[in-house]
Amino acid sequence: MSETEFYDVIIIGGGPGGLTAGIYAMRAALKTVLIEMAAPGGQVNNSDSVENWPGDEHIAGAELAMKFSLHAQSYGLEMRSDEVIELEPGLGYHTVKLADGSELHSHSVIL
């Protein structure tokens, strides 16, 4: 599959930081895509317990990751499960190449 798409923001990594960036980008009405090759939430999924998170005294990492993901999806954030194989910085736009053959272009990339 080979396609080319243009976004305002491409976010590489679906951990807490990436999902939060996605929420704020969507709230700013920017065309945004988040790329994560594993499960949304990133490494927090592997945590049995998260105890330093405001709002919850104790929460399982997988449950917190699910909450992050659902919050981001409620804003319509596009999430793609794929591996980024190359990032080409550019003056006018940046190019992100995915393992499935897709090329995505954007004015900004968040890692």
Side-chain angles (χ1 to χ4, degrees):
M1 167 167 131
S2 181
E3 61 181 87
T4 303
E5 294 184 59
F6 199 93
Y7 293 89
D8 295 313
V9 180
I10 296 173
I11 301 166
I12 300 172
L19 287 165
T20 301
I23 289 167
Y24 279 92
M26 293 302 293
R27 290 181 64 184
L30 298 172
K31 184 177 180 189
T32 305
V33 63
L34 181 143
I35 304 161
E36 168 62 50
M37 69 179 194
Q43 292 296 315
V44 78
N45 279 297
N46 299 329
S47 299
D48 293 332
S49 176
V50 178
E51 296 179 345
N52 60 345
W53 182 254
D56 289 303
E57 218 172 284
H58 172 280
I59 189 168
E63 183 182 354
L64 183 59
M66 171 91 58
K67 286 184 175 189
F68 284 154
S69 182
L70 291 173
H71 191 170
Q73 289 173 19
S74 76
Y75 284 98
L77 177 63
E78 179 183 348
M79 291 193 266
R80 294 178 69 155
S81 179
D82 206 337
E83 180 180 9
V84 173
I85 58 171
E86 189 174 347
L87 170 59
E88 294 178 8
L91 295 176
Y93 60 86
H94 310 293
T95 302
V96 175
K97 295 182 181 181
L98 304 179
D100 72 359
S102 299
E103 284 191 8
L104 310 179
H105 302 291
S106 178
H107 293 297
S108 60
V109 176
I110 297 174
L111 300 172

